[in-house]
Coordinates of all heavy atoms in Angstrom, one line a residue:
M28 N -5.3 -0.8 -1.3 CA -4.9 -2.0 -2.0 C -5.8 -2.1 -3.3 O -5.3 -2.4 -4.4 CB -5.1 -3.2 -1.1 CG -4.5 -4.5 -1.7 SD -4.6 -5.8 -0.5 CE -6.3 -6.3 -0.6
H29 N -7.1 -1.9 -3.1 CA -8.0 -2.0 -4.2 C -8.0 -0.8 -5.2 O -8.3 -1.0 -6.3 CB -9.5 -2.1 -3.7 CG -9.7 -3.3 -2.8 ND1 -9.6 -4.6 -3.3 CD2 -9.9 -3.4 -1.5 CE1 -9.8 -5.4 -2.3 NE2 -10.0 -4.8 -1.2
F30 N -7.5 0.3 -4.7 CA -7.5 1.5 -5.6 C -6.2 1.8 -6.3 O -6.2 2.6 -7.2 CB -8.0 2.7 -4.8 CG -9.4 2.6 -4.3 CD1 -9.7 2.3 -3.0 CD2 -10.4 2.9 -5.2 CE1 -11.0 2.2 -2.6 CE2 -11.7 2.9 -4.8 CZ -12.0 2.5 -3.5
C31 N -5.2 1.1 -6.0 CA -3.9 1.4 -6.6 C -4.0 1.0 -8.1 O -4.2 -0.2 -8.4 CB -2.8 0.5 -6.0 SG -1.2 0.7 -6.9
P32 N -3.8 2.0 -9.0 CA -3.9 1.6 -10.4 C -2.8 0.7 -10.9 O -3.0 0.0 -11.9 CB -3.8 3.0 -11.1 CG -3.2 3.9 -10.1 CD -3.5 3.4 -8.8
Q33 N -1.7 0.6 -10.2 CA -0.6 -0.3 -10.6 C -0.8 -1.7 -10.0 O 0.0 -2.6 -10.3 CB 0.7 0.3 -10.2 CG 1.1 1.7 -10.8 CD 1.2 1.5 -12.3 OE1 0.3 1.8 -13.1 NE2 2.4 1.1 -12.7
K34 N -1.7 -1.8 -9.1 CA -1.9 -3.1 -8.4 C -0.6 -3.6 -7.7 O -0.3 -4.8 -7.9 CB -2.5 -4.1 -9.3 CG -3.8 -3.7 -10.0 CD -4.9 -3.5 -8.9 CE -6.2 -3.2 -9.5 NZ -7.2 -2.5 -8.6
I35 N 0.0 -2.7 -7.0 CA 1.3 -3.1 -6.4 C 1.2 -3.1 -4.9 O 2.2 -3.2 -4.2 CB 2.5 -2.3 -6.9 CG1 2.2 -0.8 -6.6 CG2 2.8 -2.5 -8.4 CD1 3.3 0.1 -7.0
I36 N 0.0 -3.0 -4.3 CA -0.1 -3.0 -2.9 C -0.8 -4.3 -2.5 O -1.8 -4.7 -3.2 CB -1.0 -1.9 -2.3 CG1 -0.3 -0.5 -2.7 CG2 -1.1 -1.9 -0.8 CD1 -1.2 0.7 -2.4
R37 N -0.3 -5.0 -1.5 CA -0.9 -6.3 -1.1 C -0.9 -6.4 0.4 O -0.2 -5.6 1.1 CB -0.2 -7.5 -1.7 CG 1.2 -7.7 -1.1 CD 1.8 -9.0 -1.6 NE 3.2 -9.1 -1.0 CZ 4.0 -10.1 -1.2 NH1 3.6 -11.1 -2.1 NH2 5.1 -10.2 -0.6
L38 N -1.6 -7.3 1.0 CA -1.4 -7.6 2.4 C -0.3 -8.6 2.6 O -0.2 -9.6 1.9 CB -2.7 -8.2 2.9 CG -4.0 -7.4 2.9 CD1 -5.2 -8.1 3.4 CD2 -3.8 -6.0 3.6
A39 N 0.7 -8.2 3.4 CA 1.9 -9.0 3.7 C 1.4 -10.4 4.2 O 0.9 -10.5 5.3 CB 2.8 -8.3 4.7
P40 N 1.7 -11.4 3.4 CA 1.2 -12.7 3.8 C 1.9 -13.3 5.0 O 1.4 -14.2 5.7 CB 1.5 -13.6 2.5 CG 2.6 -12.9 1.8 CD 2.4 -11.4 2.1
D41 N 3.1 -12.8 5.3 CA 4.0 -13.5 6.4 C 4.2 -12.6 7.6 O 5.0 -12.9 8.4 CB 5.3 -13.8 5.8 CG 6.0 -12.7 5.1 OD1 5.3 -11.6 4.9 OD2 7.2 -12.8 4.7
R42 N 3.4 -11.5 7.7 CA 3.5 -10.6 8.8 C 2.2 -10.2 9.4 O 1.2 -10.2 8.7 CB 4.3 -9.3 8.4 CG 5.7 -9.5 8.0 CD 6.5 -8.2 7.9 NE 6.0 -7.5 6.7 CZ 5.7 -6.2 6.6 NH1 5.9 -5.5 7.7 NH2 5.3 -5.7 5.5
M43 N 2.2 -9.9 10.7 CA 0.9 -9.5 11.4 C 1.3 -8.3 12.2 O 2.4 -8.2 12.8 CB 0.4 -10.6 12.3 CG 0.0 -11.9 11.7 SD -1.6 -11.8 10.9 CE -2.6 -12.5 12.2
N44 N 0.4 -7.3 12.3 CA 0.6 -6.1 13.1 C 0.1 -6.4 14.5 O -0.5 -7.4 14.8 CB 0.1 -4.9 12.5 CG -1.5 -4.9 12.4 OD1 -2.1 -5.7 13.1 ND2 -2.0 -4.1 11.5
P45 N 0.3 -5.5 15.5 CA -0.1 -5.8 16.9 C -1.6 -5.9 17.0 O -2.1 -6.5 18.0 CB 0.4 -4.5 17.6 CG 1.5 -4.0 16.8 CD 1.2 -4.3 15.4
S46 N -2.4 -5.4 16.0 CA -3.8 -5.6 16.1 C -4.3 -6.9 15.5 O -5.5 -7.2 15.5 CB -4.5 -4.4 15.3 OG -4.2 -3.2 15.9
G47 N -3.3 -7.7 15.0 CA -3.7 -9.0 14.4 C -4.1 -9.0 13.0 O -4.7 -10.0 12.5
Y48 N -3.7 -8.0 12.3 CA -4.0 -7.9 10.8 C -2.7 -8.0 10.0 O -1.7 -7.6 10.5 CB -4.7 -6.6 10.5 CG -6.1 -6.4 11.1 CD1 -6.2 -5.6 12.3 CD2 -7.2 -7.0 10.6 CE1 -7.5 -5.4 12.8 CE2 -8.4 -6.8 11.2 CZ -8.6 -6.0 12.3 OH -9.8 -5.9 12.9
H49 N -2.9 -8.5 8.8 CA -1.7 -8.4 7.9 C -1.6 -7.0 7.4 O -2.5 -6.4 6.9 CB -2.0 -9.4 6.7 CG -2.0 -10.8 7.0 ND1 -0.9 -11.6 7.2 CD2 -3.1 -11.6 7.2 CE1 -1.3 -12.8 7.5 NE2 -2.6 -12.9 7.5
P50 N -0.4 -6.4 7.6 CA -0.2 -5.0 7.1 C -0.1 -4.9 5.6 O 0.3 -5.9 5.0 CB 1.1 -4.6 7.8 CG 1.8 -5.9 8.0 CD 0.8 -7.0 8.2
A51 N -0.4 -3.8 5.1 CA -0.3 -3.6 3.6 C 1.2 -3.3 3.3 O 1.9 -2.8 4.2 CB -1.1 -2.4 3.2
E52 N 1.6 -3.8 2.2 CA 3.0 -3.5 1.7 C 3.0 -3.3 0.2 O 2.1 -3.7 -0.5 CB 3.9 -4.7 2.1 CG 3.6 -5.9 1.4 CD 4.6 -7.1 1.7 OE1 5.4 -6.9 2.7 OE2 4.5 -8.1 1.1
V53 N 4.0 -2.5 -0.2 CA 4.1 -2.2 -1.6 C 5.1 -3.2 -2.2 O 6.3 -3.3 -1.7 CB 4.6 -0.8 -1.9 CG1 4.8 -0.5 -3.4 CG2 3.6 0.2 -1.3
V54 N 4.8 -3.9 -3.2 CA 5.7 -4.7 -4.0 C 6.0 -4.1 -5.3 O 5.3 -3.2 -5.8 CB 5.1 -6.1 -4.2 CG1 4.9 -6.9 -2.9 CG2 3.8 -6.0 -5.0
E55 N 7.1 -4.4 -5.8 CA 7.6 -3.7 -7.1 C 7.5 -2.2 -7.0 O 6.8 -1.6 -7.8 CB 6.8 -4.2 -8.3 CG 6.9 -5.7 -8.5 CD 6.1 -6.2 -9.7 OE1 6.4 -5.7 -10.8 OE2 5.2 -7.0 -9.6
Q56 N 8.2 -1.7 -6.0 CA 8.1 -0.2 -5.8 C 8.5 0.6 -7.0 O 8.1 1.7 -7.1 CB 9.1 0.1 -4.6 CG 8.5 -0.4 -3.3 CD 9.4 0.1 -2.1 OE1 10.1 1.1 -2.2 NE2 9.2 -0.7 -1.0
E57 N 9.4 0.1 -7.9 CA 9.8 0.8 -9.1 C 8.6 1.1 -10.0 O 8.7 1.9 -10.9 CB 10.9 0.1 -9.8 CG 10.5 -1.3 -10.4 CD 10.4 -2.4 -9.5 OE1 10.7 -2.2 -8.3 OE2 10.1 -3.6 -9.9
R58 N 7.5 0.4 -9.8 CA 6.3 0.6 -10.7 C 5.4 1.7 -10.1 O 4.4 2.1 -10.8 CB 5.6 -0.7 -10.9 CG 6.3 -1.7 -11.7 CD 5.5 -3.0 -11.9 NE 4.2 -2.7 -12.4 CZ 3.1 -3.4 -12.1 NH1 3.2 -4.4 -11.2 NH2 1.9 -3.0 -12.6
C59 N 5.7 2.1 -8.9 CA 4.8 3.2 -8.3 C 5.0 4.5 -9.1 O 6.1 4.9 -9.4 CB 5.2 3.4 -6.9 SG 4.4 4.8 -6.1
T60 N 3.8 5.1 -9.4 CA 3.8 6.3 -10.2 C 3.7 7.6 -9.3 O 3.5 8.7 -9.9 CB 2.7 6.3 -11.2 OG1 1.4 6.2 -10.5 CG2 2.8 5.1 -12.2
S61 N 3.7 7.4 -8.0 CA 3.5 8.5 -7.1 C 2.2 9.2 -7.2 O 2.1 10.4 -7.0 CB 4.7 9.5 -7.2 OG 5.9 8.8 -7.0
C62 N 1.2 8.5 -7.7 CA -0.1 9.1 -7.9 C -0.8 9.5 -6.6 O -1.7 10.4 -6.6 CB -1.1 8.2 -8.7 SG -1.6 6.7 -7.8
R63 N -0.5 8.9 -5.5 CA -1.0 9.2 -4.1 C -2.4 8.8 -3.9 O -3.1 9.2 -2.9 CB -0.8 10.6 -3.8 CG 0.7 11.0 -3.6 CD 0.9 12.4 -3.2 NE 2.2 12.7 -2.7 CZ 3.3 12.8 -3.6 NH1 3.1 12.8 -4.9 NH2 4.5 13.1 -3.1
I64 N -3.0 8.0 -4.8 CA -4.4 7.5 -4.6 C -4.4 6.7 -3.4 O -5.4 6.8 -2.6 CB -4.8 6.7 -5.9 CG1 -5.0 7.7 -7.0 CG2 -6.1 6.0 -5.6 CD1 -5.4 7.0 -8.3
C65 N -3.4 5.9 -3.1 CA -3.4 5.0 -1.9 C -3.5 5.9 -0.6 O -4.3 5.6 0.3 CB -2.2 4.1 -1.8 SG -0.6 5.0 -2.0
A66 N -2.8 7.0 -0.6 CA -2.8 7.9 0.6 C -4.2 8.6 0.7 O -4.7 8.7 1.8 CB -1.7 8.9 0.4
L67 N -4.8 8.9 -0.4 CA -6.1 9.6 -0.4 C -7.2 8.6 0.0 O -8.2 9.0 0.7 CB -6.4 10.2 -1.8 CG -5.6 11.3 -2.2 CD1 -5.8 11.7 -3.7 CD2 -5.8 12.5 -1.4
M68 N -7.1 7.4 -0.4 CA -8.2 6.4 -0.1 C -8.0 5.6 1.2 O -8.9 4.9 1.6 CB -8.3 5.4 -1.3 CG -8.6 6.1 -2.6 SD -10.1 7.1 -2.6 CE -11.3 5.8 -2.3
C69 N -6.8 5.7 1.8 CA -6.6 4.9 3.0 C -7.5 5.3 4.1 O -7.6 6.4 4.5 CB -5.1 5.1 3.5 SG -4.8 4.2 5.1
P70 N -8.4 4.4 4.6 CA -9.3 4.7 5.7 C -8.7 5.1 7.0 O -9.3 5.9 7.8 CB -10.2 3.4 5.8 CG -9.3 2.3 5.3 CD -8.4 2.9 4.3
D71 N -7.5 4.7 7.2 CA -6.8 5.1 8.5 C -5.8 6.3 8.3 O -5.2 6.7 9.3 CB -6.1 3.9 9.1 CG -7.0 2.8 9.5 OD1 -8.1 3.1 10.0 OD2 -6.7 1.6 9.3
V72 N -5.7 6.8 7.1 CA -4.9 7.9 6.8 C -3.5 7.7 7.4 O -2.9 8.6 8.1 CB -5.5 9.3 7.4 CG1 -4.8 10.5 6.8 CG2 -7.0 9.3 7.2
V73 N -2.9 6.6 7.1 CA -1.6 6.3 7.6 C -0.5 6.2 6.5 O 0.6 5.8 6.7 CB -1.6 5.0 8.4 CG1 -2.4 5.1 9.6 CG2 -2.0 3.8 7.6
I74 N -0.9 6.5 5.2 CA 0.1 6.3 4.1 C 0.6 7.7 3.7 O -0.1 8.6 3.5 CB -0.6 5.6 2.9 CG1 -1.1 4.2 3.3 CG2 0.3 5.6 1.7 CD1 -1.9 3.5 2.2
E75 N 1.9 7.7 3.6 CA 2.6 8.9 3.0 C 3.4 8.4 1.8 O 4.0 7.3 1.9 CB 3.5 9.6 4.0 CG 2.7 10.3 5.1 CD 3.6 11.1 6.0 OE1 4.5 11.8 5.5 OE2 3.4 11.0 7.2
V76 N 3.4 9.1 0.7 CA 4.2 8.7 -0.4 C 5.4 9.6 -0.6 O 5.3 10.8 -0.6 CB 3.3 8.9 -1.7 CG1 4.1 8.5 -3.0 CG2 2.0 8.0 -1.6
Y77 N 6.6 9.0 -0.5 CA 7.8 9.7 -0.7 C 8.4 9.3 -2.0 O 8.8 8.2 -2.2 CB 8.8 9.4 0.5 CG 8.3 9.7 1.8 CD1 7.7 8.8 2.6 CD2 8.5 11.0 2.3 CE1 7.2 9.1 3.9 CE2 8.1 11.3 3.6 CZ 7.4 10.4 4.4 OH 7.0 10.7 5.6
R78 N 8.6 10.2 -2.9 CA 9.2 9.9 -4.2 C 9.5 11.1 -5.0 O 8.7 12.0 -5.0 CB 8.2 9.0 -5.0 CG 8.9 8.3 -6.1 CD 8.2 7.1 -6.5 NE 8.8 6.7 -7.8 CZ 9.0 5.5 -8.2 NH1 8.6 4.5 -7.4 NH2 9.5 5.2 -9.3
Ligands
LIG115 S1 1.2 6.1 -5.1 FE1 0.1 4.4 -4.1 S2 -1.7 4.1 -5.4 FE2 -0.2 5.3 -6.7 S3 0.9 3.7 -7.8 FE3 2.1 4.2 -5.9 S4 1.4 2.6 -4.5 FE4 -0.1 2.7 -6.1

């Protein structure tokens, strides 16, 4: 979320995952440049970029 150069990743304000955290979500997907920084920086290595 902090490293996305487009600033299009946020914590979903209206959803919680089974661990009790707000999951990350991409807003304005059309602005994604497929740079994959989010995937490289994700501490849990759970992001894949399809584009
Ligand atoms: S690939 Fe990830 S970091 Fe890069 S613009 Fe898209 S959402 Fe942001």
